[in-house]
Amino acid sequence: MIKSKINLPATKNGTPDWEWMEKYMKSLHHKPIRTKNSENQSLIIVNNWKEFYLHKLFKTSMGNGIDAIATTNDNPKYNYVSRDSNGNGVVGFVDEVEGQNPFPAGAMSLALGGSFLGSCFIQKEPFYTAQNVGILQEKEQLSIHTKLFISTLIRNECKIKYQAFGRELNSHFRKDFTIKLPVLMDGNDYVYDKSKKYSEKGYIPDWKYMENYIKTLPYGDRI
């Protein structure tokens, strides 16, 4: 440790900026943030939540399916996402692959099989995928907070209903994979969508509730 070095914020004089460090730590919201729309959101009540097919909420598709051995990194341009549970699933930074279109930033990757079945991440940069990775692209603009809410539910659903090397997601996530979500309410009554865009029964996901809930979590303002 005597030879170890660390990077710290510094003043113009080159000394550690102790004041900046102190102010930064005090700015962190280590307790839930309360807003006028989130007073009771720390306690989730799921009695009124309804079931939605994943393919009704997102554009679902298979990833590129590029084997790692087929990639190079002489002039890397895109993230390479695999079935991993760490680092947002990103396991490399690779060159452009001829004939393959990268998926856009903001799309969600979903591990369809293997030891980390159900790992679901929002990708911050354009990316390619390895084998057995599904893609979820929003049909309408959703905030990262809303997508984090949903990705957590997807992971939990996979732990209950699916099994690595047994009942995996390949044949389900575009067909019959469902999750329960909070829905729009008008007092004690459900708000219905006559076009049935999201649900055959006309329920509408409460995107704003999901967003606000994530924002109220400790450090939610740092996302």
Side-chain angles (χ1 to χ4, degrees):
M1 288 302 297
I2 293 176
K3 297 180 180 180
S4 297
K5 296 180 180 180
I6 58 173
N7 290 323
L8 293 175
T11 65
K12 293 180 180 179
N13 299 325
T15 58
D17 195 338
W18 307 116
E19 185 178 359
W20 187 94
M21 294 183 235
E22 181 176 359
K23 287 182 177 179
Y24 178 80
M25 294 306 295
K26 286 181 177 179
S27 76
L28 295 176
H29 292 94
H30 62 285
K31 295 181 179 179
I33 307 166
R34 294 300 179 195
T35 67
K36 64 180 181 179
N37 295 323
S38 65
E39 292 180 358
N40 298 315
Q41 286 191 332
S42 59
L43 178 62
I44 292 184
I45 300 175
V46 301
N47 296 345
N48 294 328
W49 289 24
K50 296 300 177 182
E51 204 165 65
F52 295 86
Y53 284 108
L54 197 60
H55 67 80
K56 293 280 281 185
L57 303 174
F58 294 92
K59 300 174 186 175
T60 56
S61 62
M62 293 297 293
N64 305 102
I66 303 171
D67 289 326
I69 196 171
T71 65
T72 57
N73 57 359
D74 298 319
N75 185 27
K77 188 176 180 180
Y78 297 113
N79 284 341
Y80 179 67
V81 177
S82 185
R83 304 182 308 277
D84 203 307
S85 63
N86 296 314
N88 256 30
V90 178
V91 295
F93 192 43
V94 301
D95 299 333
E96 184 173 359
V97 179
E98 186 176 353
Q100 294 286 351
N101 294 320
F103 292 97
M108 299 163 68
S109 61
L110 174 61
L112 302 178
S115 301
F116 303 114
L117 172 71
S119 291
C120 187
F121 299 105
I122 299 98
Q123 297 301 328
K124 296 182 178 181
E125 303 291 341
F127 64 100
Y128 293 127
T129 77
Q131 298 281 352
N132 221 14
V133 176
I135 304 296
L136 309 177
Q137 292 179 268
E138 56 205 308
K139 292 183 177 181
E140 60 188 270
Q141 187 172 0
L142 301 175
S143 71
I144 187 173
H145 302 88
T146 300
K147 287 187 279 190
L148 281 170
F149 189 101
I150 293 173
S151 67
T152 303
L153 293 178
I154 290 173
R155 292 192 198 100
N156 289 336
E157 192 72 12
C158 289
K159 292 177 182 178
I160 298 170
K161 294 184 177 179
Y162 299 91
Q163 183 180 15
F165 311 110
R167 189 170 189 259
E168 297 194 325
L169 287 177
N170 307 66
S171 61
H172 296 283
F173 85 107
R174 290 180 291 177
K175 183 181 178 182
D176 56 7
F177 186 101
T178 60
I179 53 174
K180 282 190 173 182
L181 295 176
V183 296
L184 283 182
M185 304 283 293
D186 182 8
N188 294 322
D189 299 322
Y190 295 107
V191 177
Y192 291 100
D193 169 27
K194 293 182 180 179
S195 69
K196 300 182 178 180
K197 178 179 179 180
Y198 308 103
S199 162
E200 290 301 319
K201 295 184 178 180
Y203 297 118
I204 306 171
D206 192 342
W207 306 122
K208 198 62 181 178
Y209 173 94
M210 301 181 222
E211 178 180 359
N212 286 341
Y213 182 81
I214 295 298
K215 286 181 177 179
T216 65
L217 296 176
Y219 308 109
D221 63 313
R222 298 290 155 175
I223 294 173

